[in-house]
Amino acid sequence: MQDSQTDPEEDSASEETPSETEAASTTESKAAPQISLLRNSTSRFNLWQDLPEIRSSGVLSILQPDEIKLQEAMFELVTSEASYYKSLNLLVSHFMENERLKKILHQSEAHILFSNVLDVMAVSERFLLDLEQRVEENIVISDVCDIVYQHTVNHFSVYITYVSNQTYQERAYKQLLQDKPAFREVISQLELDPKCKGLSFSSFLILPFQRITRLKLLVQNILKKVEEKSERETTALDAHKELETVVKACNEGVRKMSRTEQMISIQKKLEFKIKSVPIISHSRWLLKQGELQQMNGPKTSRTLRTKKLFREIYLFLFNDLLVICRQIPGDKYQVFDSAPRGLLRVEELEDQGQSLANVFILRLLENADDREVSYMLKASSQSEMKRWMISLAPNRRTKFVSFTSRLVDCPQIQCVHPYVAQEPDELSLELADVLNILDKTDDGWIFGERLHDQERGWFPSSMGEEILNPKIRAQNLKECFRVHKSDDSQRRKLGSRNRQ
C-alpha cells in the first residue's frame, strides 16, 4: 500500500500474463548506459520500457514480448525498493529525529516505538545499491533474484526483530496518544507536512511489515515470467524460498508476542469449578472463543418449542485444549468442564425444525471427570455452526477437495476487496489473493486455503469473486505448484535421508 502511494504506476507491470520464454542472447552485447533514475527522486519513469535510454537503444524491437514482461517485473522490484527506502528515510529523518519529539519521548518509549528501524533502513540501502548497480551493468537486466537471495540470507533477519515488536509498538503508540497531549500534537503537525503526502505516522511505522511480504510477491511475479528449467528460474525459486522463511519467522514472531499477552488475559478471567487446569503454556494459543447455547434436559424434550430449552455457555478453544464455562459477574468465566482437543468429536444434527436449526453435537471422549459426555449446542447462524465444527474437529472432511492434492480441480475465488481477520479462525486477505474454496455456507461465509502460502481460514464471500473458468483455475494451480515444487523436493530429500 505504501509503495503504491509513493509510486502509483508501479503495479502496472505485475498484471501482465505469465510467459515462459526469455530474450534472445543478442541483447547481451549491448552497451550499458548509466541509468540514474533510481537515485533521482523526481523521476517519473516507472516502466522499464518508458526509460529514454531503453527507447533510444532500439532494444524493444529486438526483444520478445515475454522478455519485455520479465524485464518489467524485475524493474518493478527495483523501483519499489527505491520507493520503500525513500519512505523509510522519511520515517527516520522527519519523525524519529525530530527534536521536539525527542524531548517528549522517554528513551525506552522511543525504543519501543521505532524499534530497530535504523538497522532496517541500512539493510534496505545496501540492498538498493546492489540492485541499482545490476540495473546499470547492462541495458537489459540479467537478473535480480540472485541479489534478493543473497540479501535475504545474510541481512533480512532485521525484519524479524522489527515485525516481532509489532504488539508492543501498537500498544505504546496508542498509550502515548492517550497519555501525552504534546506527543499527539507534534505527530499531528508532522503528518500535515507535504512530505508525508497525506499519510499517517502509523502508515510509516508499518512499512517493514508490508515490505517483506511484498518482496515475496514481486519475486513470485518474476517467477511466473521466467523460462522453466532456466538459471533465472533457479535463482527466483531460491529467493522465494528464503523470503518465505523470513515471512514465516516474522509472522511467528508477531503471533508469539500477541498470543502470550492473550493467554495471560484469559487466565485472569477463569475461575475453576472443577480441578484447575494450567492455561498459560509456550506451546498453547487460542483458536476460537465465543458463546453458544447448550440444550437443557433429556433428549425427549427436544421437541419442546420454548426459549428455556437452551442456556448460554462460553467456550475457549485452544490448539490442544477445550475449556467450557459459564459467564459470571465481573467479566469472569466459571469453568465446569474441559477436554484435550484430540478427544473431541462433532456431529451435525439433522434438521428437526426451526427451534433446532444450527444445532450440532459435541462429544468429549474423555472430559475433566475422565468420562465421555455429549453436549447439544446451538449456534447463532449456519456459518457460526460450521466454523465451530471445523475448529473443534479440524480433521472433519470439508465439502470440497483440499488443495493439498494439487491434482483435482477445486472451486477457487479471487479477492477483490481486502479483508482484516476479526477472529482467530478468520483469514486476512489482500487484493488479488487466490484461494481454494474448501467449504461455504448459505449465509455468506467461505472457508478457504490461500494458494501461495496454504494458510486457511474463514472470510465473507463478498470479499471475492469465484473463478468460473477451469483453464484459469488450472493455471493458478500450475503457477502455485511451480513456486512450491523446490520446497517439496527438498522435503522429500530430507525425509529420505531421515529414513535412511
Side-chain angles (χ1 to χ4, degrees), residues 230-288:
S230 65
E231 185 178 343
R232 289 198 287 198
E233 183 193 47
T234 302
T235 60
L237 285 168
D238 289 343
H240 182 273
K241 181 181 176 183
E242 292 303 323
L243 283 168
E244 183 74 35
T245 301
V246 174
V247 169
K248 285 182 177 177
C250 287
N251 290 338
E252 191 57 32
V254 172
R255 285 193 188 109
K256 280 184 178 178
M257 294 291 188
S258 59
R259 282 171 177 172
T260 301
E261 297 224 335
Q262 190 176 43
M263 296 301 286
I264 293 171
S265 174
I266 292 172
Q267 174 78 66
K268 291 177 179 176
K269 294 179 179 180
L270 297 183
E271 294 182 0
F272 284 84
K273 187 177 179 181
I274 57 172
K275 184 181 177 182
S276 179
V277 178
I279 295 297
I280 299 174
S281 166
H282 291 298
S283 60
R284 179 174 294 152
W285 61 88
L286 183 72
L287 292 179
K288 189 171 179 60

Side-chain angles (χ1 to χ4, degrees), residues 88-326:
L88 270 185
N89 194 37
L90 189 62
L91 170 63
V92 172
S93 62
H94 187 60
F95 290 98
M96 182 178 172
E97 295 178 350
N98 180 270
E99 291 301 326
R100 288 179 63 195
L101 208 54
K102 282 183 177 180
K103 292 175 182 178
I104 295 168
L105 293 175
H106 187 273
Q107 189 174 356
S108 62
E109 293 172 331
H111 176 70
I112 295 173
L113 201 57
F114 294 102
S115 190
N116 64 327
V117 69
L118 291 176
D119 295 335
V120 173
M121 190 170 76
V123 164
S124 176
E125 182 176 22
R126 191 184 309 163
F127 181 41
L128 181 58
L129 286 172
D130 284 354
L131 290 172
E132 287 183 344
Q133 184 178 351
R134 176 62 58 82
V135 170
E136 291 171 356
E137 280 176 2
N138 196 299
I139 194 168
V140 176
I141 305 169
S142 59
D143 197 1
V144 293
C145 289
D146 57 330
I147 298 174
V148 176
Y149 172 80
Q150 292 163 8
H151 281 261
T152 305
V153 170
N154 297 319
H155 307 298
F156 281 8
S157 59
V158 297
Y159 281 96
I160 301 172
T161 304
Y162 189 95
V163 173
S164 297
N165 186 50
Q166 180 187 24
T167 303
Y168 300 107
Q169 186 187 62
E170 289 179 349
R171 187 174 61 189
Y173 181 49
K174 289 177 182 176
Q175 202 69 41
L176 285 166
L177 288 174
Q178 183 178 325
D179 298 345
K180 291 192 175 183
F183 172 81
R184 189 167 61 244
E185 181 185 346
V186 171
I187 290 294
S188 298
Q189 289 176 357
L190 292 174
E191 287 175 340
L192 291 173
D193 193 295
K195 294 178 189 174
C196 296
K197 298 182 179 179
L199 296 171
S200 66
F201 173 55
S202 58
S203 69
F204 285 95
L205 285 178
I206 206 169
L207 281 168
F209 301 94
Q210 299 168 332
R211 183 58 189 168
I212 198 70
T213 303
R214 179 154 164 75
L215 265 177
K216 189 184 78 167
L217 296 177
L218 289 166
V219 170
Q220 279 182 13
N221 191 39
I222 292 171
L223 187 55
K224 292 176 185 177
K225 295 170 172 57
V226 294
E227 184 180 3
E228 290 193 34
K229 298 182 180 178
S230 65
E231 185 178 343
R232 289 198 287 198
E233 183 193 47
T234 302
T235 60
L237 285 168
D238 289 343
H240 182 273
K241 181 181 176 183
E242 292 303 323
L243 283 168
E244 183 74 35
T245 301
V246 174
V247 169
K248 285 182 177 177
C250 287
N251 290 338
E252 191 57 32
V254 172
R255 285 193 188 109
K256 280 184 178 178
M257 294 291 188
S258 59
R259 282 171 177 172
T260 301
E261 297 224 335
Q262 190 176 43
M263 296 301 286
I264 293 171
S265 174
I266 292 172
Q267 174 78 66
K268 291 177 179 176
K269 294 179 179 180
L270 297 183
E271 294 182 0
F272 284 84
K273 187 177 179 181
I274 57 172
K275 184 181 177 182
S276 179
V277 178
I279 295 297
I280 299 174
S281 166
H282 291 298
S283 60
R284 179 174 294 152
W285 61 88
L286 183 72
L287 292 179
K288 189 171 179 60
Q289 66 176 22
E291 187 176 87
L292 289 169
Q293 304 287 317
Q294 179 195 358
M295 181 175 181
N296 289 319
K299 293 183 179 180
T300 53
S301 64
R302 288 185 193 175
T303 55
L304 297 177
R305 295 186 177 182
T306 168
K307 291 183 179 179
K308 293 180 181 179
L309 188 60
F310 295 97
R311 62 176 176 174
E312 294 80 10
I313 62 170
Y314 201 92
L315 271 56
F316 288 96
L317 178 66
F318 304 100
N319 61 308
D320 61 346
L321 177 71
L322 172 67
V323 175
I324 306 177
C325 321
R326 290 191 182 90

Side-chain angles (χ1 to χ4, degrees), residues 398-421:
T398 50
K399 186 176 181 180
F400 301 112
V401 177
S402 170
F403 165 69
T404 50
S405 68
R406 299 184 180 176
L407 299 174
V408 183
D409 189 21
C410 178
Q412 290 179 1
I413 191 168
Q414 180 166 357
C415 173
V416 294
H417 301 291
Y419 180 69
V420 178

